[in-house]
Amino acid sequence: LILKLYGWKAFSDIHRQSLGKQALFLVDKQESDEDILFALVAHCWKDKVEIPSYQELATIVSTAFERFK
């Protein structure tokens, strides 16, 4: 309810996939894991998407590094 009131969207699988793609792109650019984490948070703010938990973001970043290898 509060998210809708302010024009934000709830975090969903579609957003998880989008963040995963963004993380892969950043890993390819040789960004550090911390920079990627903050870039994903900024991506959520820009798109007005609920920011997932740290654990969720860490999993997305770790998966991107594993896929890149």
Side-chain angles (χ1 to χ4, degrees), residues 4-15:
K4 279 186 178 181
L5 184 66
Y6 288 99
W8 284 62
K9 298 170 235 110
F11 186 73
S12 67
D13 284 336
I14 293 169
H15 301 110

Side-chain angles (χ1 to χ4, degrees), residues 27-60:
V27 167
D28 186 43
K29 291 179 62 178
Q30 306 286 321
E31 298 289 336
S32 73
D33 52 351
E34 184 179 350
D35 289 341
I36 294 171
L37 181 73
F38 286 116
L40 296 181
V41 170
H43 187 75
C44 289
W45 273 95
K46 180 180 70 72
D47 291 345
K48 289 192 170 185
V49 173
E50 174 186 20
I51 298 171
S53 68
Y54 173 80
Q55 184 62 43
E56 181 73 35
L57 290 170
T59 299
I60 291 169

